[in-house]
Coordinates of all heavy atoms in Angstrom, one line a residue:
M18 N 105.9 94.7 103.6 CA 107.0 95.0 102.8 C 108.3 94.8 103.6 O 108.4 95.1 104.8 CB 106.9 96.5 102.4 CG 108.1 96.9 101.6 SD 108.0 98.6 101.0 CE 106.9 98.4 99.6
D19 N 109.3 94.2 103.0 CA 110.5 94.0 103.6 C 111.3 95.3 103.8 O 111.6 96.0 102.9 CB 111.4 93.0 102.7 CG 112.7 92.6 103.3 OD1 112.9 92.8 104.5 OD2 113.5 92.0 102.5
P20 N 111.7 95.6 105.1 CA 112.4 96.8 105.3 C 113.7 96.9 104.7 O 114.2 98.0 104.4 CB 112.6 96.8 106.9 CG 112.2 95.5 107.4 CD 111.5 94.8 106.3
E21 N 114.4 95.8 104.3 CA 115.6 95.8 103.6 C 115.4 96.3 102.2 O 116.4 96.8 101.6 CB 116.2 94.4 103.6 CG 116.7 93.9 104.9 CD 118.0 94.5 105.4 OE1 118.8 94.8 104.5 OE2 118.1 94.7 106.6
R22 N 114.3 96.2 101.6 CA 114.0 96.6 100.2 C 113.0 97.7 100.2 O 112.3 97.8 99.2 CB 113.6 95.4 99.4 CG 114.7 94.3 99.3 CD 114.2 93.1 98.5 NE 115.2 92.2 98.4 CZ 116.1 92.0 97.4 NH1 116.1 92.9 96.4 NH2 117.0 91.1 97.4
A23 N 112.9 98.5 101.2 CA 112.0 99.6 101.2 C 112.3 100.6 100.1 O 113.4 100.8 99.8 CB 112.0 100.2 102.6
P24 N 111.3 101.2 99.5 CA 111.6 102.1 98.5 C 112.4 103.3 99.0 O 112.2 103.8 100.2 CB 110.2 102.6 98.0 CG 109.3 101.6 98.5 CD 109.9 101.0 99.7
G25 N 113.3 103.8 98.2 CA 114.1 105.0 98.6 C 113.3 106.3 98.4 O 112.1 106.2 98.2
P26 N 113.9 107.4 98.5 CA 113.2 108.7 98.4 C 112.5 108.8 97.1 O 111.4 109.5 97.0 CB 114.3 109.7 98.4 CG 115.5 109.0 99.0 CD 115.3 107.6 98.7
A27 N 113.0 108.3 95.9 CA 112.3 108.5 94.7 C 111.4 107.3 94.4 O 110.9 107.1 93.3 CB 113.4 108.6 93.6
G28 N 111.1 106.5 95.4 CA 110.3 105.3 95.2 C 111.0 104.1 94.6 O 110.3 103.1 94.3
R29 N 112.3 104.2 94.5 CA 113.0 103.1 93.9 C 113.6 102.2 95.0 O 113.9 102.7 96.1 CB 114.2 103.5 93.1 CG 113.8 104.3 91.9 CD 115.0 104.9 91.2 NE 115.8 105.7 92.2 CZ 116.4 106.8 91.9 NH1 116.6 107.1 90.6 NH2 117.0 107.5 92.8
S30 N 113.7 100.9 94.8 CA 114.3 100.0 95.7 C 115.8 100.2 95.7 O 116.4 100.4 94.6 CB 114.0 98.5 95.4 OG 114.6 97.7 96.3
D31 N 116.4 100.2 96.8 CA 117.9 100.5 96.9 C 118.6 99.4 97.7 O 119.3 99.7 98.7 CB 118.1 101.9 97.5 CG 119.5 102.4 97.1 OD1 120.2 101.8 96.3 OD2 119.8 103.5 97.6
P32 N 118.6 98.1 97.3 CA 119.1 97.1 98.1 C 120.7 97.1 98.1 O 121.3 96.6 99.0 CB 118.6 95.8 97.6 CG 118.4 96.2 96.1 CD 117.9 97.6 96.2
G33 N 121.3 97.8 97.1 CA 122.8 97.8 97.1 C 123.4 98.8 97.9 O 124.6 98.9 98.0
M34 N 122.7 99.7 98.5 CA 123.2 100.8 99.3 C 124.0 100.2 100.5 O 125.0 100.8 100.8 CB 122.1 101.7 99.8 CG 122.6 102.9 100.4 SD 123.5 103.9 99.2 CE 124.2 105.1 100.2
T35 N 123.6 99.2 101.1 CA 124.3 98.7 102.2 C 125.7 98.2 101.8 O 126.7 98.3 102.5 CB 123.6 97.5 103.0 OG1 123.2 96.6 102.0 CG2 122.4 98.1 103.6
T36 N 125.8 97.6 100.6 CA 127.1 97.1 100.1 C 128.0 98.3 99.9 O 129.2 98.2 100.2 CB 126.9 96.4 98.8 OG1 125.9 95.3 99.0 CG2 128.2 95.8 98.2
V37 N 127.5 99.4 99.3 CA 128.3 100.6 99.1 C 128.8 101.1 100.4 O 129.9 101.5 100.6 CB 127.5 101.6 98.3 CG1 128.3 102.9 98.3 CG2 127.2 101.1 97.0
E38 N 127.9 101.1 101.4 CA 128.3 101.7 102.7 C 129.4 100.8 103.4 O 130.3 101.4 104.0 CB 127.0 101.7 103.7 CG 126.1 102.8 103.2 CD 124.8 102.7 104.0 OE1 124.5 101.7 104.7 OE2 124.0 103.6 103.8
Y39 N 129.3 99.5 103.3 CA 130.3 98.6 103.8 C 131.6 98.8 103.1 O 132.7 98.8 103.7 CB 129.8 97.1 103.8 CG 128.9 96.8 104.8 CD1 127.7 96.1 104.5 CD2 129.1 97.0 106.2 CE1 126.7 95.8 105.5 CE2 128.2 96.6 107.2 CZ 127.0 96.0 106.8 OH 126.1 95.7 107.7
T40 N 131.6 98.9 101.8 CA 132.8 99.1 101.0 C 133.5 100.4 101.4 O 134.7 100.4 101.6 CB 132.5 99.1 99.5 OG1 131.8 97.8 99.2 CG2 133.7 99.2 98.7
L41 N 132.7 101.5 101.5 CA 133.2 102.8 101.9 C 133.8 102.7 103.3 O 134.9 103.3 103.5 CB 132.2 103.8 101.7 CG 132.7 105.3 101.8 CD1 133.7 105.6 100.8 CD2 131.5 106.2 101.7
G42 N 133.2 102.1 104.2 CA 133.6 102.0 105.5 C 135.0 101.2 105.6 O 135.9 101.5 106.3
T43 N 135.1 100.1 104.8 CA 136.3 99.3 104.7 C 137.4 100.1 104.2 O 138.5 100.1 104.7 CB 136.1 98.1 103.9 OG1 134.9 97.3 104.4 CG2 137.3 97.2 103.8
V44 N 137.2 100.9 103.1 CA 138.2 101.7 102.5 C 138.7 102.8 103.5 O 139.9 103.0 103.6 CB 137.7 102.4 101.2 CG1 138.7 103.4 100.7 CG2 137.5 101.3 100.1
V45 N 137.8 103.4 104.2 CA 138.1 104.5 105.2 C 138.9 103.8 106.3 O 139.9 104.4 106.7 CB 136.8 105.2 105.7 CG1 137.2 106.0 106.9 CG2 136.2 106.0 104.5
A46 N 138.5 102.7 106.7 CA 139.2 102.0 107.9 C 140.7 101.6 107.4 O 141.6 101.8 108.2 CB 138.5 100.8 108.3
A47 N 140.8 101.1 106.2 CA 142.1 100.8 105.7 C 143.0 102.0 105.6 O 144.2 102.0 106.0 CB 142.0 100.1 104.4
A48 N 142.4 103.1 105.1 CA 143.3 104.4 105.0 C 143.7 104.9 106.4 O 144.8 105.3 106.6 CB 142.4 105.5 104.3
F49 N 142.7 104.8 107.3 CA 143.0 105.2 108.7 C 144.1 104.3 109.3 O 145.0 104.8 110.0 CB 141.8 105.1 109.6 CG 141.9 105.7 111.0 CD1 142.2 107.1 111.2 CD2 141.8 104.9 112.0 CE1 142.4 107.5 112.4 CE2 142.0 105.4 113.3 CZ 142.2 106.7 113.5
A50 N 144.1 103.1 109.0 CA 145.1 102.1 109.5 C 146.5 102.4 108.9 O 147.5 102.4 109.6 CB 144.8 100.7 109.2
L51 N 146.5 102.9 107.7 CA 147.8 103.3 107.0 C 148.3 104.5 107.7 O 149.5 104.6 107.9 CB 147.6 103.4 105.5 CG 147.5 102.2 104.7 CD1 147.2 102.5 103.3 CD2 148.8 101.4 104.8
V52 N 147.5 105.5 108.0 CA 147.9 106.7 108.6 C 148.5 106.4 110.0 O 149.5 106.9 110.4 CB 146.8 107.7 108.7 CG1 147.1 108.9 109.6 CG2 146.4 108.3 107.3
L53 N 147.7 105.6 110.8 CA 148.3 105.2 112.1 C 149.5 104.4 112.0 O 150.4 104.7 112.8 CB 147.2 104.3 112.8 CG 146.0 105.0 113.4 CD1 145.0 104.0 114.0 CD2 146.4 106.1 114.4
L54 N 149.7 103.5 111.1 CA 150.9 102.8 110.9 C 152.1 103.7 110.6 O 153.2 103.6 111.2 CB 150.8 101.8 109.7 CG 152.0 100.9 109.5 CD1 152.3 100.0 110.7 CD2 151.8 100.0 108.3
N55 N 151.9 104.7 109.8 CA 152.9 105.8 109.5 C 153.3 106.6 110.7 O 154.5 106.9 110.9 CB 152.5 106.6 108.3 CG 152.6 105.9 107.0 OD1 153.4 105.0 106.8 ND2 151.8 106.4 106.0
V56 N 152.3 106.9 111.5 CA 152.6 107.7 112.7 C 153.3 106.9 113.7 O 154.3 107.4 114.3 CB 151.2 108.2 113.3 CG1 151.4 108.8 114.7 CG2 150.6 109.3 112.4
I57 N 152.9 105.6 113.9 CA 153.5 104.8 114.9 C 154.9 104.4 114.5 O 155.9 104.3 115.3 CB 152.7 103.5 115.1 CG1 151.4 103.9 115.9 CG2 153.5 102.5 115.9 CD1 150.4 102.8 116.0
E58 N 155.2 104.3 113.2 CA 156.6 103.9 112.7 C 157.6 105.1 112.9 O 158.8 104.9 112.7 CB 156.5 103.4 111.3 CG 156.0 102.0 111.2 CD 156.0 101.5 109.8 OE1 156.2 102.3 108.9 OE2 155.9 100.3 109.6
D59 N 157.1 106.3 113.1 CA 157.9 107.5 113.3 C 158.7 107.2 114.6 O 158.2 106.8 115.6 CB 157.1 108.7 113.4 CG 157.9 110.0 113.7 OD1 159.1 110.0 113.1 OD2 157.4 110.9 114.3
G60 N 160.0 107.5 114.6 CA 160.9 107.2 115.7 C 160.4 107.8 117.0 O 160.5 107.1 118.1
K61 N 160.0 109.1 117.0 CA 159.7 109.8 118.2 C 158.4 109.2 118.9 O 158.3 109.0 120.1 CB 159.4 111.3 117.9 CG 160.6 112.0 117.5 CD 160.3 113.4 117.1 CE 161.4 114.2 116.5 NZ 161.1 115.5 116.0
V62 N 157.4 108.9 118.0 CA 156.2 108.3 118.5 C 156.4 106.9 119.1 O 155.9 106.6 120.1 CB 155.1 108.3 117.4 CG1 153.9 107.6 117.9 CG2 154.8 109.7 116.9
L63 N 157.2 106.1 118.4 CA 157.5 104.8 118.8 C 158.2 104.8 120.2 O 157.9 104.0 121.0 CB 158.3 104.0 117.8 CG 158.5 102.5 118.0 CD1 157.2 101.8 118.0 CD2 159.3 101.9 116.9
K64 N 159.2 105.7 120.3 CA 159.9 105.8 121.6 C 158.9 106.2 122.7 O 159.0 105.8 123.8 CB 161.1 106.9 121.5 CG 161.9 106.9 122.7 CD 163.1 107.9 122.6 CE 163.9 108.1 123.8 NZ 163.3 107.8 125.1
A65 N 158.0 107.2 122.4 CA 157.1 107.7 123.4 C 156.2 106.5 123.9 O 155.9 106.4 125.1 CB 156.3 108.9 122.9
I66 N 155.7 105.7 122.9 CA 154.8 104.6 123.3 C 155.6 103.6 124.1 O 155.1 103.1 125.1 CB 154.2 104.0 122.0 CG1 153.2 104.9 121.3 CG2 153.6 102.6 122.4 CD1 152.8 104.5 120.0
N67 N 156.8 103.3 123.7 CA 157.7 102.4 124.4 C 157.9 102.9 125.8 O 157.9 102.1 126.8 CB 159.0 102.2 123.7 CG 159.8 101.0 124.1 OD1 159.3 100.1 124.8 ND2 161.1 101.0 123.9
D68 N 158.3 104.1 126.0 CA 158.5 104.7 127.3 C 157.3 104.6 128.2 O 157.3 104.3 129.4 CB 159.0 106.1 127.2 CG 160.4 106.3 126.6 OD1 161.1 105.3 126.6 OD2 160.8 107.4 126.2
L69 N 156.1 104.9 127.6 CA 154.9 104.8 128.3 C 154.6 103.4 128.8 O 154.2 103.2 130.0 CB 153.7 105.3 127.5 CG 152.3 105.3 128.0 CD1 152.2 106.4 129.1 CD2 151.3 105.5 127.0
I70 N 154.8 102.4 127.9 CA 154.6 101.0 128.3 C 155.5 100.6 129.4 O 155.2 100.0 130.4 CB 154.6 100.1 127.1 CG1 153.4 100.4 126.2 CG2 154.6 98.6 127.5 CD1 153.5 99.7 124.8
L71 N 156.8 100.9 129.2 CA 157.8 100.5 130.2 C 157.6 101.2 131.6 O 157.7 100.7 132.6 CB 159.2 100.8 129.7 CG 159.7 100.0 128.6 CD1 161.1 100.4 128.1 CD2 159.7 98.5 129.0
G72 N 157.1 102.5 131.5 CA 156.8 103.2 132.8 C 155.7 102.6 133.5 O 155.7 102.5 134.7
A73 N 154.7 102.1 132.8 CA 153.5 101.5 133.4 C 153.9 100.1 134.0 O 153.5 99.7 135.1 CB 152.4 101.2 132.4
I74 N 154.8 99.4 133.3 CA 155.3 98.1 133.8 C 156.1 98.3 135.1 O 156.0 97.6 136.1 CB 156.1 97.3 132.7 CG1 155.1 96.9 131.6 CG2 156.8 96.2 133.3 CD1 155.8 96.3 130.4
N75 N 157.0 99.3 135.1 CA 157.9 99.6 136.2 C 157.1 100.1 137.4 O 157.4 99.7 138.5 CB 159.0 100.6 135.8 CG 160.0 100.0 134.8 OD1 160.2 98.8 134.8 ND2 160.6 100.8 134.1
S76 N 156.0 100.8 137.2 CA 155.2 101.3 138.3 C 154.3 100.2 138.9 O 154.0 100.3 140.1 CB 154.4 102.5 137.9 OG 153.3 102.1 137.0
A77 N 154.1 99.2 138.1 CA 153.3 98.1 138.6 C 154.0 97.1 139.4 O 153.5 96.3 140.2 CB 152.6 97.4 137.5
T78 N 155.4 97.1 139.3 CA 156.2 96.1 140.0 C 156.8 96.7 141.3 O 156.8 97.8 141.5 CB 157.3 95.6 139.1 OG1 158.1 96.7 138.7 CG2 156.7 94.8 138.0

């Protein structure tokens, strides 16, 4: 028996489940990216990230 098409708990084949999982994962990743984008675009957070990067560059030279 093909493990991709193994019967589910009720004995039914559930080959579409992986598609649903990938779709849900993609939607969650896109929502998380939007949240991160909104956080990064905040002036305080952007300044803190900029200061962190500049501090690392200045300490390396």
Side-chain angles (χ1 to χ4, degrees):
M18 178 178 281
D19 185 11
E21 293 284 327
R22 297 182 180 262
R29 297 175 301 213
S30 178
D31 200 7
M34 190 60 189
T35 54
T36 304
V37 171
E38 290 169 352
Y39 284 125
T40 302
L41 189 59
T43 302
V44 169
V45 169
F49 186 66
L51 284 174
V52 168
L53 284 178
L54 184 62
N55 286 332
V56 167
I57 289 175
E58 285 183 343
D59 182 30
K61 294 176 188 175
V62 175
L63 191 58
K64 183 179 179 336
I66 292 172
N67 192 23
D68 291 344
L69 181 69
I70 292 171
L71 289 177
I74 291 172
N75 289 333
S76 69
T78 57

